[in-house]
Amino acid sequence: MNTIIRKSVLGIAGLAFAGGVFAGPAAAQAAPAVEAGKPVAVAVQADKPGVDKAKLIPHGVQGAQSRIDLSDEQVASTKAIIAATKKAGMDERAAVVSIATALQESKLENLGHLGDRNDHDSQGLFQQRPSSGWGTVEQITDPEYSTTAFLKGLKQVDGWQDMPLTKAAQTVQVSAYPDHYAQWEQLAADLVAEHWNS
């Protein structure tokens, strides 16, 4: 009887060893180290909290929508606008209005003076003009400053949150093409949804 039990125990130990050899590195990485009976904390990456998409486009988009593929520079501009919006204590909708405006004005490129192609002295993401009191060239070509200046103007528009995007943007920008902002609302909302919590 003892021989049978001993063979069974040795057989089980052999299977356990063989299983450990074959699964060794994977099992070793999967099992966290336990230190003298202390509980082990396992890090679990939670999904980022989502953005309430109903807040991004509360009135639905107006008209045909435009889309462009963004370069690294344009993504950096998007993130700078979102950061400035948060710093100003404003919400995701303000970021959508800001990004849509910058998409129309500069395609999210921080433009300097374009010579003969320049619209007067307009520069930066929002094509703001030093001669119209937006700030110096250095200021309006700084994404945080130019976004903050735009948002300051937006805050002064009574009821901007309840306006269609193009009306809110136009009230701040006073563009010769007031309806052109609307075409960027969906892309702006998608960018805010993607980068607001990143």
mmCIF file of all heavy atoms in Angstrom, residues 51 56 70 74-100 102 108 125-126 143-144 146-148 150-151 187-198:
data_model
loop_
_atom_site.group_PDB
_atom_site.id
_atom_site.type_symbol
_atom_site.label_atom_id
_atom_site.label_comp_id
_atom_site.label_asym_id
_atom_site.label_seq_id
_atom_site.Cartn_x
_atom_site.Cartn_y
_atom_site.Cartn_z
ATOM 1 N N VAL A 51 -17.168 61.256 -21.893
ATOM 2 C CA VAL A 51 -17.706 62.604 -22.001
ATOM 3 C C VAL A 51 -19.186 62.460 -22.357
ATOM 4 O O VAL A 51 -19.556 61.624 -23.171
ATOM 5 C CB VAL A 51 -16.947 63.384 -23.103
ATOM 6 C CG1 VAL A 51 -17.600 64.718 -23.366
ATOM 7 C CG2 VAL A 51 -15.493 63.569 -22.714
ATOM 8 N N LEU A 56 -22.069 67.827 -25.965
ATOM 9 C CA LEU A 56 -21.162 68.317 -26.993
ATOM 10 C C LEU A 56 -21.898 68.969 -28.157
ATOM 11 O O LEU A 56 -21.454 69.976 -28.692
ATOM 12 C CB LEU A 56 -20.279 67.175 -27.506
ATOM 13 C CG LEU A 56 -19.392 66.495 -26.458
ATOM 14 C CD1 LEU A 56 -18.563 65.396 -27.101
ATOM 15 C CD2 LEU A 56 -18.500 67.499 -25.753
ATOM 16 N N LEU A 70 -5.834 65.033 -39.042
ATOM 17 C CA LEU A 70 -5.005 65.975 -38.298
ATOM 18 C C LEU A 70 -3.555 65.520 -38.212
ATOM 19 O O LEU A 70 -3.275 64.338 -37.995
ATOM 20 C CB LEU A 70 -5.549 66.161 -36.875
ATOM 21 C CG LEU A 70 -6.981 66.684 -36.738
ATOM 22 C CD1 LEU A 70 -7.298 66.947 -35.276
ATOM 23 C CD2 LEU A 70 -7.208 67.929 -37.556
ATOM 24 N N GLN A 74 -1.633 69.689 -35.280
ATOM 25 C CA GLN A 74 -3.058 70.000 -35.105
ATOM 26 C C GLN A 74 -3.623 69.297 -33.870
ATOM 27 O O GLN A 74 -4.454 69.871 -33.164
ATOM 28 C CB GLN A 74 -3.825 69.616 -36.359
ATOM 29 C CG GLN A 74 -3.489 70.496 -37.560
ATOM 30 C CD GLN A 74 -3.965 69.908 -38.866
ATOM 31 O OE1 GLN A 74 -3.685 68.740 -39.176
ATOM 32 N NE2 GLN A 74 -4.686 70.699 -39.640
ATOM 33 N N VAL A 75 -3.181 68.089 -33.592
ATOM 34 C CA VAL A 75 -3.616 67.388 -32.376
ATOM 35 C C VAL A 75 -3.092 68.139 -31.146
ATOM 36 O O VAL A 75 -3.818 68.314 -30.162
ATOM 37 C CB VAL A 75 -3.152 65.918 -32.377
ATOM 38 C CG1 VAL A 75 -3.416 65.262 -31.028
ATOM 39 C CG2 VAL A 75 -3.850 65.132 -33.489
ATOM 40 N N ALA A 76 -1.850 68.605 -31.214
ATOM 41 C CA ALA A 76 -1.291 69.385 -30.098
ATOM 42 C C ALA A 76 -2.098 70.666 -29.887
ATOM 43 O O ALA A 76 -2.357 71.061 -28.740
ATOM 44 C CB ALA A 76 0.176 69.707 -30.364
ATOM 45 N N SER A 77 -2.526 71.309 -30.966
ATOM 46 C CA SER A 77 -3.368 72.503 -30.846
ATOM 47 C C SER A 77 -4.705 72.161 -30.204
ATOM 48 O O SER A 77 -5.205 72.907 -29.357
ATOM 49 C CB SER A 77 -3.599 73.130 -32.225
ATOM 50 O OG SER A 77 -2.393 73.606 -32.766
ATOM 51 N N THR A 78 -5.275 71.034 -30.594
ATOM 52 C CA THR A 78 -6.533 70.567 -29.995
ATOM 53 C C THR A 78 -6.376 70.400 -28.492
ATOM 54 O O THR A 78 -7.206 70.874 -27.704
ATOM 55 C CB THR A 78 -6.953 69.223 -30.632
ATOM 56 O OG1 THR A 78 -7.172 69.421 -32.030
ATOM 57 C CG2 THR A 78 -8.199 68.661 -29.979
ATOM 58 N N LYS A 79 -5.309 69.731 -28.097
ATOM 59 C CA LYS A 79 -5.069 69.493 -26.666
ATOM 60 C C LYS A 79 -4.813 70.801 -25.923
ATOM 61 O O LYS A 79 -5.239 70.949 -24.776
ATOM 62 C CB LYS A 79 -3.902 68.523 -26.488
ATOM 63 C CG LYS A 79 -4.236 67.111 -26.931
ATOM 64 C CD LYS A 79 -3.043 66.185 -26.770
ATOM 65 C CE LYS A 79 -3.405 64.749 -27.152
ATOM 66 N NZ LYS A 79 -2.248 63.838 -26.978
ATOM 67 N N ALA A 80 -4.139 71.740 -26.563
ATOM 68 C CA ALA A 80 -3.892 73.044 -25.932
ATOM 69 C C ALA A 80 -5.198 73.803 -25.719
ATOM 70 O O ALA A 80 -5.392 74.437 -24.680
ATOM 71 C CB ALA A 80 -2.921 73.864 -26.785
ATOM 72 N N ILE A 81 -6.098 73.729 -26.690
ATOM 73 C CA ILE A 81 -7.403 74.394 -26.556
ATOM 74 C C ILE A 81 -8.195 73.758 -25.414
ATOM 75 O O ILE A 81 -8.800 74.455 -24.592
ATOM 76 C CB ILE A 81 -8.186 74.346 -27.881
ATOM 77 C CG1 ILE A 81 -7.517 75.259 -28.918
ATOM 78 C CG2 ILE A 81 -9.651 74.740 -27.676
ATOM 79 C CD1 ILE A 81 -8.068 75.114 -30.333
ATOM 80 N N ILE A 82 -8.185 72.438 -25.344
ATOM 81 C CA ILE A 82 -8.911 71.744 -24.263
ATOM 82 C C ILE A 82 -8.318 72.112 -22.905
ATOM 83 O O ILE A 82 -9.048 72.409 -21.953
ATOM 84 C CB ILE A 82 -8.907 70.224 -24.499
ATOM 85 C CG1 ILE A 82 -9.828 69.886 -25.682
ATOM 86 C CG2 ILE A 82 -9.335 69.465 -23.243
ATOM 87 C CD1 ILE A 82 -9.761 68.442 -26.149
ATOM 88 N N ALA A 83 -6.986 72.126 -22.798
ATOM 89 C CA ALA A 83 -6.341 72.479 -21.531
ATOM 90 C C ALA A 83 -6.693 73.903 -21.111
ATOM 91 O O ALA A 83 -6.994 74.164 -19.936
ATOM 92 C CB ALA A 83 -4.828 72.311 -21.645
ATOM 93 N N ALA A 84 -6.673 74.833 -22.049
ATOM 94 C CA ALA A 84 -7.012 76.228 -21.736
ATOM 95 C C ALA A 84 -8.484 76.358 -21.335
ATOM 96 O O ALA A 84 -8.826 77.158 -20.455
ATOM 97 C CB ALA A 84 -6.698 77.132 -22.920
ATOM 98 N N THR A 85 -9.342 75.567 -21.976
ATOM 99 C CA THR A 85 -10.771 75.591 -21.635
ATOM 100 C C THR A 85 -10.982 75.107 -20.208
ATOM 101 O O THR A 85 -11.734 75.718 -19.430
ATOM 102 C CB THR A 85 -11.571 74.716 -22.620
ATOM 103 O OG1 THR A 85 -11.334 75.171 -23.956
ATOM 104 C CG2 THR A 85 -13.058 74.762 -22.329
ATOM 105 N N LYS A 86 -10.321 74.025 -19.840
ATOM 106 C CA LYS A 86 -10.419 73.517 -18.464
ATOM 107 C C LYS A 86 -9.872 74.538 -17.476
ATOM 108 O O LYS A 86 -10.468 74.775 -16.421
ATOM 109 C CB LYS A 86 -9.648 72.203 -18.330
ATOM 110 C CG LYS A 86 -10.306 71.029 -19.012
ATOM 111 C CD LYS A 86 -9.448 69.785 -18.838
ATOM 112 C CE LYS A 86 -10.104 68.555 -19.401
ATOM 113 N NZ LYS A 86 -9.294 67.340 -19.164
ATOM 114 N N LYS A 87 -8.732 75.133 -17.821
ATOM 115 C CA LYS A 87 -8.112 76.128 -16.933
ATOM 116 C C LYS A 87 -9.024 77.328 -16.729
ATOM 117 O O LYS A 87 -9.053 77.920 -15.651
ATOM 118 C CB LYS A 87 -6.769 76.564 -17.525
ATOM 119 C CG LYS A 87 -5.923 77.399 -16.601
ATOM 120 C CD LYS A 87 -4.546 77.628 -17.194
ATOM 121 C CE LYS A 87 -3.687 78.455 -16.262
ATOM 122 N NZ LYS A 87 -2.335 78.669 -16.817
ATOM 123 N N ALA A 88 -9.807 77.665 -17.760
ATOM 124 C CA ALA A 88 -10.752 78.781 -17.655
ATOM 125 C C ALA A 88 -12.017 78.390 -16.895
ATOM 126 O O ALA A 88 -12.897 79.225 -16.672
ATOM 127 C CB ALA A 88 -11.118 79.282 -19.049
ATOM 128 N N GLY A 89 -12.112 77.120 -16.501
ATOM 129 C CA GLY A 89 -13.281 76.652 -15.750
ATOM 130 C C GLY A 89 -14.510 76.461 -16.611
ATOM 131 O O GLY A 89 -15.636 76.498 -16.115
ATOM 132 N N MET A 90 -14.299 76.240 -17.905
ATOM 133 C CA MET A 90 -15.431 76.072 -18.820
ATOM 134 C C MET A 90 -15.565 74.597 -19.209
ATOM 135 O O MET A 90 -14.638 73.808 -19.015
ATOM 136 C CB MET A 90 -15.282 76.994 -20.020
ATOM 137 C CG MET A 90 -15.324 78.468 -19.597
ATOM 138 S SD MET A 90 -15.220 79.619 -20.970
ATOM 139 C CE MET A 90 -16.886 79.561 -21.615
ATOM 140 N N ASP A 91 -16.716 74.251 -19.749
ATOM 141 C CA ASP A 91 -17.035 72.844 -19.977
ATOM 142 C C ASP A 91 -16.702 72.375 -21.395
ATOM 143 O O ASP A 91 -16.156 73.119 -22.209
ATOM 144 C CB ASP A 91 -18.496 72.568 -19.643
ATOM 145 C CG ASP A 91 -19.473 73.269 -20.591
ATOM 146 O OD1 ASP A 91 -19.034 73.907 -21.572
ATOM 147 O OD2 ASP A 91 -20.691 73.165 -20.355
ATOM 148 N N GLU A 92 -17.081 71.126 -21.652
ATOM 149 C CA GLU A 92 -16.795 70.486 -22.935
ATOM 150 C C GLU A 92 -17.435 71.223 -24.110
ATOM 151 O O GLU A 92 -16.863 71.278 -25.193
ATOM 152 C CB GLU A 92 -17.276 69.034 -22.925
ATOM 153 C CG GLU A 92 -16.566 68.137 -21.933
ATOM 154 C CD GLU A 92 -17.287 68.010 -20.599
ATOM 155 O OE1 GLU A 92 -17.984 68.988 -20.180
ATOM 156 O OE2 GLU A 92 -17.163 66.950 -19.964
ATOM 157 N N ARG A 93 -18.614 71.785 -23.914
ATOM 158 C CA ARG A 93 -19.286 72.511 -24.999
ATOM 159 C C ARG A 93 -18.460 73.729 -25.405
ATOM 160 O O ARG A 93 -18.340 74.036 -26.591
ATOM 161 C CB ARG A 93 -20.706 72.917 -24.588
ATOM 162 C CG ARG A 93 -21.461 73.697 -25.650
ATOM 163 C CD ARG A 93 -21.670 72.915 -26.920
ATOM 164 N NE ARG A 93 -22.415 73.694 -27.918
ATOM 165 C CZ ARG A 93 -22.509 73.387 -29.192
ATOM 166 N NH1 ARG A 93 -21.932 72.304 -29.654
ATOM 167 N NH2 ARG A 93 -23.192 74.148 -30.022
ATOM 168 N N ALA A 94 -17.869 74.415 -24.442
ATOM 169 C CA ALA A 94 -17.010 75.556 -24.760
ATOM 170 C C ALA A 94 -15.808 75.092 -25.577
ATOM 171 O O ALA A 94 -15.371 75.792 -26.506
ATOM 172 C CB ALA A 94 -16.551 76.245 -23.479
ATOM 173 N N ALA A 95 -15.287 73.913 -25.264
ATOM 174 C CA ALA A 95 -14.164 73.369 -26.041
ATOM 175 C C ALA A 95 -14.597 73.042 -27.470
ATOM 176 O O ALA A 95 -13.846 73.278 -28.418
ATOM 177 C CB ALA A 95 -13.604 72.122 -25.355
ATOM 178 N N VAL A 96 -15.818 72.520 -27.644
ATOM 179 C CA VAL A 96 -16.326 72.231 -28.990
ATOM 180 C C VAL A 96 -16.429 73.518 -29.802
ATOM 181 O O VAL A 96 -15.992 73.578 -30.956
ATOM 182 C CB VAL A 96 -17.696 71.503 -28.940
ATOM 183 C CG1 VAL A 96 -18.318 71.396 -30.330
ATOM 184 C CG2 VAL A 96 -17.547 70.120 -28.317
ATOM 185 N N VAL A 97 -16.991 74.561 -29.209
ATOM 186 C CA VAL A 97 -17.124 75.843 -29.908
ATOM 187 C C VAL A 97 -15.744 76.390 -30.264
ATOM 188 O O VAL A 97 -15.507 76.854 -31.386
ATOM 189 C CB VAL A 97 -17.921 76.863 -29.051
ATOM 190 C CG1 VAL A 97 -17.950 78.232 -29.727
ATOM 191 C CG2 VAL A 97 -19.350 76.363 -28.813
ATOM 192 N N SER A 98 -14.810 76.302 -29.331
ATOM 193 C CA SER A 98 -13.454 76.807 -29.561
ATOM 194 C C SER A 98 -12.744 76.035 -30.668
ATOM 195 O O SER A 98 -12.127 76.633 -31.565
ATOM 196 C CB SER A 98 -12.628 76.721 -28.270
ATOM 197 O OG SER A 98 -13.211 77.484 -27.252
ATOM 198 N N ILE A 99 -12.810 74.720 -30.617
ATOM 199 C CA ILE A 99 -12.111 73.904 -31.620
ATOM 200 C C ILE A 99 -12.743 74.084 -32.994
ATOM 201 O O ILE A 99 -12.035 74.203 -33.999
ATOM 202 C CB ILE A 99 -12.071 72.429 -31.177
ATOM 203 C CG1 ILE A 99 -11.137 72.293 -29.971
ATOM 204 C CG2 ILE A 99 -11.624 71.519 -32.319
ATOM 205 C CD1 ILE A 99 -11.177 70.939 -29.288
ATOM 206 N N ALA A 100 -14.065 74.124 -33.064
ATOM 207 C CA ALA A 100 -14.733 74.351 -34.352
ATOM 208 C C ALA A 100 -14.324 75.707 -34.927
ATOM 209 O O ALA A 100 -14.087 75.839 -36.136
ATOM 210 C CB ALA A 100 -16.244 74.262 -34.201
ATOM 211 N N ALA A 102 -11.478 77.351 -34.326
ATOM 212 C CA ALA A 102 -10.083 77.262 -34.774
ATOM 213 C C ALA A 102 -9.956 76.409 -36.037
ATOM 214 O O ALA A 102 -9.104 76.680 -36.889
ATOM 215 C CB ALA A 102 -9.212 76.706 -33.648
ATOM 216 N N LEU A 108 -6.643 74.524 -37.255
ATOM 217 C CA LEU A 108 -5.889 74.182 -36.045
ATOM 218 C C LEU A 108 -4.380 74.318 -36.233
ATOM 219 O O LEU A 108 -3.601 73.656 -35.558
ATOM 220 C CB LEU A 108 -6.239 72.773 -35.540
ATOM 221 C CG LEU A 108 -7.628 72.618 -34.930
ATOM 222 C CD1 LEU A 108 -7.976 71.147 -34.738
ATOM 223 C CD2 LEU A 108 -7.716 73.357 -33.597
ATOM 224 N N LEU A 125 -4.200 80.516 -33.977
ATOM 225 C CA LEU A 125 -5.235 79.494 -34.162
ATOM 226 C C LEU A 125 -6.593 80.096 -34.505
ATOM 227 O O LEU A 125 -7.356 79.523 -35.277
ATOM 228 C CB LEU A 125 -5.382 78.641 -32.890
ATOM 229 C CG LEU A 125 -4.209 77.750 -32.512
ATOM 230 C CD1 LEU A 125 -4.451 77.123 -31.137
ATOM 231 C CD2 LEU A 125 -4.004 76.677 -33.560
ATOM 232 N N PHE A 126 -6.898 81.248 -33.910
ATOM 233 C CA PHE A 126 -8.217 81.862 -34.069
ATOM 234 C C PHE A 126 -8.201 83.034 -35.037
ATOM 235 O O PHE A 126 -9.199 83.727 -35.178
ATOM 236 C CB PHE A 126 -8.755 82.307 -32.701
ATOM 237 C CG PHE A 126 -9.033 81.157 -31.768
ATOM 238 C CD1 PHE A 126 -8.033 80.654 -30.957
ATOM 239 C CD2 PHE A 126 -10.277 80.557 -31.734
ATOM 240 C CE1 PHE A 126 -8.269 79.588 -30.103
ATOM 241 C CE2 PHE A 126 -10.530 79.489 -30.888
ATOM 242 C CZ PHE A 126 -9.516 79.002 -30.067
ATOM 243 N N PRO A 143 -1.048 79.377 -28.121
ATOM 244 C CA PRO A 143 -2.352 78.709 -28.091
ATOM 245 C C PRO A 143 -3.139 78.905 -26.791
ATOM 246 O O PRO A 143 -4.355 79.088 -26.838
ATOM 247 C CB PRO A 143 -1.997 77.228 -28.305
ATOM 248 C CG PRO A 143 -0.744 77.269 -29.105
ATOM 249 C CD PRO A 143 0.017 78.450 -28.561
ATOM 250 N N GLU A 144 -2.459 78.900 -25.654
ATOM 251 C CA GLU A 144 -3.195 79.092 -24.396
ATOM 252 C C GLU A 144 -3.771 80.499 -24.322
ATOM 253 O O GLU A 144 -4.938 80.689 -23.982
ATOM 254 C CB GLU A 144 -2.295 78.828 -23.184
ATOM 255 C CG GLU A 144 -3.048 79.003 -21.867
ATOM 256 C CD GLU A 144 -2.213 78.754 -20.626
ATOM 257 O OE1 GLU A 144 -1.083 78.245 -20.733
ATOM 258 O OE2 GLU A 144 -2.704 79.065 -19.523
ATOM 259 N N SER A 146 -4.414 82.635 -26.830
ATOM 260 C CA SER A 146 -5.451 82.896 -27.842
ATOM 261 C C SER A 146 -6.754 82.188 -27.495
ATOM 262 O O SER A 146 -7.837 82.740 -27.701
ATOM 263 C CB SER A 146 -4.961 82.508 -29.240
ATOM 264 O OG SER A 146 -4.676 81.128 -29.327
ATOM 265 N N THR A 147 -6.656 80.980 -26.949
ATOM 266 C CA THR A 147 -7.876 80.266 -26.536
ATOM 267 C C THR A 147 -8.543 80.996 -25.381
ATOM 268 O O THR A 147 -9.768 81.180 -25.374
ATOM 269 C CB THR A 147 -7.549 78.818 -26.124
ATOM 270 O OG1 THR A 147 -6.922 78.140 -27.217
ATOM 271 C CG2 THR A 147 -8.815 78.066 -25.726
ATOM 272 N N THR A 148 -7.742 81.413 -24.411
ATOM 273 C CA THR A 148 -8.294 82.146 -23.261
ATOM 274 C C THR A 148 -8.967 83.436 -23.715
ATOM 275 O O THR A 148 -10.043 83.796 -23.216
ATOM 276 C CB THR A 148 -7.181 82.432 -22.232
ATOM 277 O OG1 THR A 148 -6.599 81.184 -21.830
ATOM 278 C CG2 THR A 148 -7.721 83.152 -21.009
ATOM 279 N N PHE A 150 -10.321 83.974 -26.689
ATOM 280 C CA PHE A 150 -11.576 83.584 -27.342
ATOM 281 C C PHE A 150 -12.639 83.249 -26.295
ATOM 282 O O PHE A 150 -13.788 83.699 -26.396
ATOM 283 C CB PHE A 150 -11.354 82.393 -28.274
ATOM 284 C CG PHE A 150 -12.634 81.882 -28.872
ATOM 285 C CD1 PHE A 150 -13.206 82.519 -29.967
ATOM 286 C CD2 PHE A 150 -13.287 80.785 -28.330
ATOM 287 C CE1 PHE A 150 -14.416 82.068 -30.504
ATOM 288 C CE2 PHE A 150 -14.487 80.324 -28.866
ATOM 289 C CZ PHE A 150 -15.045 80.972 -29.952
ATOM 290 N N LEU A 151 -12.250 82.466 -25.297
ATOM 291 C CA LEU A 151 -13.215 82.057 -24.261
ATOM 292 C C LEU A 151 -13.716 83.254 -23.441
ATOM 293 O O LEU A 151 -14.879 83.280 -23.033
ATOM 294 C CB LEU A 151 -12.587 81.011 -23.341
ATOM 295 C CG LEU A 151 -12.321 79.651 -23.989
ATOM 296 C CD1 LEU A 151 -11.463 78.789 -23.078
ATOM 297 C CD2 LEU A 151 -13.620 78.948 -24.342
ATOM 298 N N LEU A 187 -16.698 67.239 -36.105
ATOM 299 C CA LEU A 187 -15.280 66.933 -35.901
ATOM 300 C C LEU A 187 -14.803 67.499 -34.568
ATOM 301 O O LEU A 187 -14.084 66.822 -33.817
ATOM 302 C CB LEU A 187 -14.428 67.485 -37.049
ATOM 303 C CG LEU A 187 -12.911 67.269 -36.917
ATOM 304 C CD1 LEU A 187 -12.549 65.798 -36.725
ATOM 305 C CD2 LEU A 187 -12.191 67.856 -38.125
ATOM 306 N N ALA A 188 -15.202 68.726 -34.254
ATOM 307 C CA ALA A 188 -14.811 69.331 -32.976
ATOM 308 C C ALA A 188 -15.336 68.506 -31.805
ATOM 309 O O ALA A 188 -14.611 68.252 -30.835
ATOM 310 C CB ALA A 188 -15.322 70.770 -32.889
ATOM 311 N N ALA A 189 -16.581 68.057 -31.896
ATOM 312 C CA ALA A 189 -17.160 67.229 -30.830
ATOM 313 C C ALA A 189 -16.412 65.903 -30.705
ATOM 314 O O ALA A 189 -16.139 65.431 -29.595
ATOM 315 C CB ALA A 189 -18.643 66.985 -31.100
ATOM 316 N N ASP A 190 -16.060 65.302 -31.831
ATOM 317 C CA ASP A 190 -15.309 64.041 -31.805
ATOM 318 C C ASP A 190 -13.946 64.242 -31.151
ATOM 319 O O ASP A 190 -13.486 63.397 -30.372
ATOM 320 C CB ASP A 190 -15.127 63.491 -33.225
ATOM 321 C CG ASP A 190 -16.435 63.022 -33.852
ATOM 322 O OD1 ASP A 190 -17.443 62.856 -33.125
ATOM 323 O OD2 ASP A 190 -16.451 62.841 -35.089
ATOM 324 N N LEU A 191 -13.295 65.359 -31.445
ATOM 325 C CA LEU A 191 -11.982 65.637 -30.858
ATOM 326 C C LEU A 191 -12.081 65.879 -29.355
ATOM 327 O O LEU A 191 -11.229 65.425 -28.584
ATOM 328 C CB LEU A 191 -11.336 66.840 -31.557
ATOM 329 C CG LEU A 191 -10.899 66.584 -32.997
ATOM 330 C CD1 LEU A 191 -10.513 67.896 -33.681
ATOM 331 C CD2 LEU A 191 -9.751 65.579 -33.057
ATOM 332 N N VAL A 192 -13.114 66.574 -28.929
ATOM 333 C CA VAL A 192 -13.307 66.791 -27.490
ATOM 334 C C VAL A 192 -13.600 65.468 -26.800
ATOM 335 O O VAL A 192 -13.035 65.175 -25.743
ATOM 336 C CB VAL A 192 -14.425 67.828 -27.228
ATOM 337 C CG1 VAL A 192 -14.765 67.875 -25.739
ATOM 338 C CG2 VAL A 192 -13.994 69.206 -27.719
ATOM 339 N N ALA A 193 -14.443 64.631 -27.393
ATOM 340 C CA ALA A 193 -14.739 63.327 -26.796
ATOM 341 C C ALA A 193 -13.466 62.485 -26.666
ATOM 342 O O ALA A 193 -13.274 61.783 -25.688
ATOM 343 C CB ALA A 193 -15.781 62.582 -27.641
ATOM 344 N N GLU A 194 -12.602 62.586 -27.656
ATOM 345 C CA GLU A 194 -11.366 61.796 -27.645
ATOM 346 C C GLU A 194 -10.315 62.312 -26.677
ATOM 347 O O GLU A 194 -9.621 61.543 -26.021
ATOM 348 C CB GLU A 194 -10.775 61.775 -29.054
ATOM 349 C CG GLU A 194 -9.494 60.967 -29.175
ATOM 350 C CD GLU A 194 -8.930 60.948 -30.585
ATOM 351 O OE1 GLU A 194 -9.575 61.456 -31.528
ATOM 352 O OE2 GLU A 194 -7.811 60.416 -30.755
ATOM 353 N N HIS A 195 -10.200 63.645 -26.550
ATOM 354 C CA HIS A 195 -9.069 64.204 -25.809
ATOM 355 C C HIS A 195 -9.417 64.874 -24.482
ATOM 356 O O HIS A 195 -8.490 65.242 -23.743
ATOM 357 C CB HIS A 195 -8.331 65.219 -26.697
ATOM 358 C CG HIS A 195 -7.716 64.598 -27.921
ATOM 359 N ND1 HIS A 195 -6.647 63.732 -27.861
ATOM 360 C CD2 HIS A 195 -8.052 64.703 -29.230
ATOM 361 C CE1 HIS A 195 -6.328 63.350 -29.076
ATOM 362 N NE2 HIS A 195 -7.167 63.916 -29.934
ATOM 363 N N TRP A 196 -10.683 65.049 -24.161
ATOM 364 C CA TRP A 196 -11.044 65.765 -22.930
ATOM 365 C C TRP A 196 -10.455 65.102 -21.688
ATOM 366 O O TRP A 196 -9.961 65.761 -20.795
ATOM 367 C CB TRP A 196 -12.565 65.874 -22.801
ATOM 368 C CG TRP A 196 -13.001 66.690 -21.615
ATOM 369 C CD1 TRP A 196 -13.390 66.226 -20.394
ATOM 370 C CD2 TRP A 196 -13.076 68.127 -21.542
ATOM 371 N NE1 TRP A 196 -13.708 67.274 -19.564
ATOM 372 C CE2 TRP A 196 -13.529 68.444 -20.240
ATOM 373 C CE3 TRP A 196 -12.820 69.143 -22.444
ATOM 374 C CZ2 TRP A 196 -13.728 69.775 -19.816
ATOM 375 C CZ3 TRP A 196 -13.016 70.459 -22.021
ATOM 376 C CH2 TRP A 196 -13.451 70.757 -20.726
ATOM 377 N N ASN A 197 -10.482 63.780 -21.626
ATOM 378 C CA ASN A 197 -9.987 63.063 -20.438
ATOM 379 C C ASN A 197 -8.633 62.403 -20.662
ATOM 380 O O ASN A 197 -8.234 61.544 -19.886
ATOM 381 C CB ASN A 197 -11.005 62.007 -20.001
ATOM 382 C CG ASN A 197 -12.263 62.646 -19.470
ATOM 383 O OD1 ASN A 197 -12.199 63.581 -18.683
ATOM 384 N ND2 ASN A 197 -13.413 62.172 -19.906
ATOM 385 N N SER A 198 -7.931 62.806 -21.716
ATOM 386 C CA SER A 198 -6.632 62.156 -21.978
ATOM 387 C C SER A 198 -5.490 62.886 -21.311
ATOM 388 O O SER A 198 -5.627 63.959 -20.822
ATOM 389 C CB SER A 198 -6.385 62.058 -23.476
ATOM 390 O OG SER A 198 -6.267 63.321 -24.058
#
